[in-house]
């Protein structure tokens, strides 16, 4: 693009992090995810607390256990730890997958709003998450307003 054509271009930018943090749609997505995963998170926390309690009890009982008891308890503790780690990993993967799905919807709505704004204002280009942009070019507040108006 030549220098004069570039100088005549009208551009804007939007901060998607703010959209994800401040929009009503993103807040609804967060609440939905919290509701969806709260039971599993509570169960995982209980299982982690049980592992900690069993580990402390094992350390306390260690001096009075014979070798067979110690081996059995170590094995049980190791199995419990593997179970906790597996469930934690599965939980994290499920949360991340669902978060990506929910926030993809938010981003699609924000992009639709951004397109409306760009067309209305006659912008040639809109950038997301610029390293730096003059605040005069920031369209984020306008996008948030459009998103709030469209439920």
């Amino acid at each position: 693009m030549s220098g004069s054509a570039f100088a005549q271009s009208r551009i804007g930018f939007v901060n998607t992090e703010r959209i994800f943090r401040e929009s009503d749609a993103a807040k609804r997505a967060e609440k939905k995810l919290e509701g969806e995963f709260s039971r599993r998170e509570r169960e995982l926390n209980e299982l982690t607390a049980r592992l900690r309690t069993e580990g402390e009890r094992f350390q306390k009982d260690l001096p009075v256990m014979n070798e067979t008891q110690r081996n059995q308890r170590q094995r049980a503790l190791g199995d419990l730890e593997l179970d906790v780690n597996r469930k934690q990993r599965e939980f994290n993967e499920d949360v991340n997958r669902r978060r990506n799905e929910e926030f993809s919807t938010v981003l699609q709505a924000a992009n639709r709003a951004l397109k409306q704004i760009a067309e209305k204002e006659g912008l040639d280009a809109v950038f997301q998450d610029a390293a730096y942009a003059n605040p005069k070019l920031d369209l984020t507040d306008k996008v948030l307003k459009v998103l709030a108006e469209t439920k």
Side-chain angles (χ1 to χ4, degrees), residues 24-37:
D24 291 338
K27 291 175 184 176
R28 283 191 303 272
E30 281 293 338
K31 285 193 185 311
K32 183 177 180 181
L33 291 169
E34 286 174 16
E36 192 173 321
F37 289 100

Side-chain angles (χ1 to χ4, degrees), residues 5-138:
F6 184 72
Q8 294 173 6
S9 296
R10 292 185 29 92
I11 60 171
F13 95 98
V14 67
N15 183 330
T16 53
E17 182 185 329
R18 274 191 61 209
I19 301 295
F20 289 153
R21 191 177 59 241
E22 297 176 18
S23 72
D24 291 338
K27 291 175 184 176
R28 283 191 303 272
E30 281 293 338
K31 285 193 185 311
K32 183 177 180 181
L33 291 169
E34 286 174 16
E36 192 173 321
F37 289 100
S38 63
R39 181 186 57 80
R40 279 181 63 189
E41 184 176 28
R42 192 171 41 254
E43 289 171 357
L44 187 57
N45 289 337
E46 289 170 1
L47 194 58
T48 302
R50 182 175 148 219
L51 175 62
R52 187 174 32 258
T53 301
E54 293 290 327
E56 290 168 358
R57 186 177 308 141
F58 175 75
Q59 290 300 320
K60 188 182 115 199
D61 295 345
L62 196 58
V64 296
M65 286 190 284
N66 65 38
E67 188 174 340
T68 304
Q69 292 171 323
R70 185 172 47 250
N71 289 338
Q72 287 174 341
R73 296 265 302 270
Q74 275 181 321
R75 196 170 18 261
L77 206 52
D79 290 346
L80 182 58
E81 183 176 15
L82 287 173
D83 192 38
V84 168
N85 290 337
R86 180 184 51 80
K87 287 183 179 185
Q88 180 71 56
R89 187 176 52 256
E90 290 172 354
F91 176 79
N92 290 339
E93 289 170 359
D94 290 348
V95 167
N96 287 334
R97 181 184 48 77
R98 284 290 295 126
R99 182 178 305 285
N100 289 341
E101 289 171 2
E102 289 296 323
F103 279 86
S104 173
T105 303
V106 173
L107 184 59
Q108 288 173 3
N111 285 339
R112 282 192 301 273
L114 189 56
K115 185 176 180 190
Q116 286 176 344
I117 293 165
E119 288 172 351
K120 181 179 173 185
E121 295 188 11
L123 299 177
D124 296 313
V126 178
F127 300 97
Q128 292 181 332
D129 301 320
Y132 171 78
N134 188 321
K136 294 186 295 186
L137 303 175
D138 189 354

Side-chain angles (χ1 to χ4, degrees), residues 135-150:
K136 294 186 295 186
L137 303 175
D138 189 354
L139 302 171
T140 306
D141 288 333
K142 292 178 182 179
V143 172
L144 288 169
K145 183 179 178 192
V146 170
L147 287 175
E149 292 170 354
T150 54

